[in-house]
Amino acid sequence: MRCATAPPTWAWEVAGPPGAPAVLLVHGWMATAALNWYGSLDFLGRYFRTVAPNLRGHGRLGRGAPPFSVEGCADDLAELIKGLPLEKPIVIGYSMGGAVAQVLARRHRELIGGIVLCATAASFARHPDLRPLVRVISRIGAAGSRRYPDAAAGLLHWQIARHDRAAGTRGQSPAGDAAIGEAAIGDGAVGDGAVGDGAVGDGAVGDGAVGDGAVGDGAVGLRGAPGVPGAAALDGAVGLDGAAGLDGASGSPGQPDYMEWAMTERSKSDLATFIEAGAALNAYDSSGWLPELEVPAAVVITSRDQTVAPWRQETLAVLIPQARRYVVDAGHDVVVAAPDLLLPVLVNACRELAQR
C-alpha cells in the first residue's frame, strides 16, 4: 500500500482474526519490512492484525525520501497508525527499529499500546568520541549520493552483492543489520567495516524466556517457508499466498532464489538513507530519558548477539520502568535465520502487554 503519509510509506498487512489486537513491525537498518519479517508475518497474523511498513528510504518507495532521522521515522509511523487506522498497536522494534519504537513511544504515547524491543539498545556507539567525525563523513556521503543517484544505486547494488558473497562464506543470512551492508555503527565509520562480527544464528529459547501461556511449537518450519500465506500488500495489489511469496520470495536464507529476491528487495533502497541511518544510530542515546518512559514495555534479549552486545540489551531492560525481560539464546539474525525460536516469545510478550 502506498499510504497517504509524508513521505509515502509502503506496508504489508496480515488481517488477523476478527477483533484481534494490532501489532506494528519495525525493521532494522538496511533491511526492509519484507526482508526483516519474511518468516514472521504468517505466524504473527494468526494472533494479531499485523502491519509491517518500510521505514523512510528503505525498500520500495525509498528512493527520494527525506533525510533519515530516528525522530522522522517515528513521526512517519505515527501518521501511518492514524491513517490506517490502527487501534493502540503493540510496536515491535527490531535492532534499529527498536530505537524508532522507543522514540515513537516518547513522542506519540497516546497512539500505541506498548513496545516490544528486540535485539536493540539505548545506545549503539562503541566510540562516542568519534561521533562528530561520523556526522561530518555521513553528511558528505549522503550529499554525494543524492547528487549522483544513478552512481549511488550502482554502488549500493555492488556493495550488497559483495557483502552477500562474503556472508555466504560465513554461513550468514543476507538479511538483518549485520548481514546486509557494510557501514559501521560502532567503530566510528560510515564507510566500509562491519556492524559487528556477524550473528550466530540458531539457538534455543533460554530457560523461562517464554513465560506462562507459551504459544508452543506452532512456528517450527518457518525458516523454510516458501511464502507468507494470508499476507498482502495493503492496497491488495500483491497476493502472497502462492509459491511466489513476498513478490518472489521463496525458499530459505542462503538458497539461490532467496538470495536473488533479497538482492532485489534491498536494491530498491536509497544509499543516502543507509549512510544517514548509520550516523543516526551512532549518535543515538536514549538512556537519559528512558527511565521516564511511561508505556508498557518488553525487552527481548538475543543472548548470543555479536552485533548489538547482550550487555547493551540488558541495560535497556533495566532502564525502562517495569519492562518485562525475555531471553532468546540466539544471535542478531534470529528473526530470519531461526524465526521459530523468536516468534513464540514475541506473541507472548505482545499478549502480556495487551493485557496491562
Side-chain angles (χ1 to χ4, degrees):
M1 171 183 176
R2 187 185 178 96
C3 303
T5 58
T9 300
W10 180 274
W12 301 96
E13 178 178 36
V14 180
V23 297
L24 184 68
L25 308 181
V26 189
H27 65 76
W29 182 29
M30 298 184 290
T32 68
L35 195 60
N36 202 135
W37 303 107
Y38 166 74
S40 307
L41 289 172
D42 179 40
F43 186 84
L44 294 176
R46 301 174 194 175
Y47 306 94
F48 310 105
R49 180 186 177 188
T50 304
V51 176
N54 286 342
L55 295 176
R56 61 168 63 180
H58 289 71
R60 62 191 73 195
L61 303 185
R63 300 283 173 82
F68 183 95
S69 70
V70 175
E71 294 78 11
C73 288
D75 293 344
D76 295 343
L77 294 181
E79 291 301 312
L80 181 67
I81 291 169
K82 290 185 286 187
L84 287 178
L86 297 176
E87 179 65 28
K88 295 279 188 178
I90 303 296
V91 182
I92 304 176
Y94 201 92
S95 196
M96 180 185 76
V100 175
Q102 292 168 50
V103 175
L104 176 63
R106 187 188 191 196
R107 293 166 73 97
H108 303 282
R109 169 66 186 90
E110 73 284 358
L111 295 179
I112 67 172
I115 53 175
V116 178
L117 307 175
C118 306
T120 191
S123 177
F124 300 91
R126 296 176 190 170
H127 302 287
D129 55 311
L130 293 178
R131 282 170 170 162
L133 177 61
V134 172
R135 185 164 54 249
V136 171
I137 294 173
S138 70
R139 287 175 179 171
I140 295 171
S145 297
R146 289 198 167 92
R147 185 172 182 179
Y148 303 104
D150 292 340
L155 177 59
L156 175 63
H157 190 277
W158 176 81
Q159 279 281 72
I160 292 171
R162 176 173 173 264
H163 191 276
D164 281 1
R165 286 194 297 270
T169 65
R170 297 191 298 267
Q172 293 177 339
S173 307
D177 301 50
I180 288 176
E182 298 194 9
I185 300 174
D187 293 331
V190 179
D192 289 348
V195 176
D197 294 328
V200 175
D202 293 348
V205 176
D207 292 343
V210 175
D212 296 334
V215 173
D217 298 326
V220 172
L222 282 176
R223 75 183 69 178
V228 185
L234 287 176
D235 61 359
V238 183
L240 306 176
D241 56 351
L246 283 162
D247 279 4
S250 62
S252 60
Q255 295 180 352
D257 49 0
Y258 176 90
M259 298 284 284
E260 181 179 355
W261 167 73
M263 166 68 81
T264 301
E265 181 70 16
R266 288 170 291 164
S267 295
K268 299 171 184 175
S269 300
D270 184 48
L271 178 60
T273 291
F274 285 0
I275 295 171
E276 291 167 341
L281 288 179
N282 184 274
Y284 184 78
D285 189 347
S286 59
S287 57
W289 51 264
L290 278 179
E292 301 173 0
L293 193 65
E294 297 181 357
V295 61
V299 176
V300 179
I301 296 162
T302 42
S303 64
R304 291 199 278 142
D305 201 317
Q306 297 182 44
T307 301
V308 179
W311 71 263
R312 292 184 183 273
Q313 302 180 50
E314 294 281 6
T315 300
L316 176 68
V318 171
L319 285 171
I320 302 175
Q322 299 181 336
R324 179 73 182 272
R325 175 182 172 275
Y326 298 81
V327 177
V328 177
D329 183 21
H332 196 72
D333 67 347
V334 63
V335 69
V336 292
D340 46 299
L341 303 179
L342 176 67
L343 294 178
V345 178
L346 293 186
V347 169
N348 282 282
C350 291
R351 282 176 163 174
E352 195 273 333
L353 293 185
Q355 294 171 359
R356 288 195 189 181

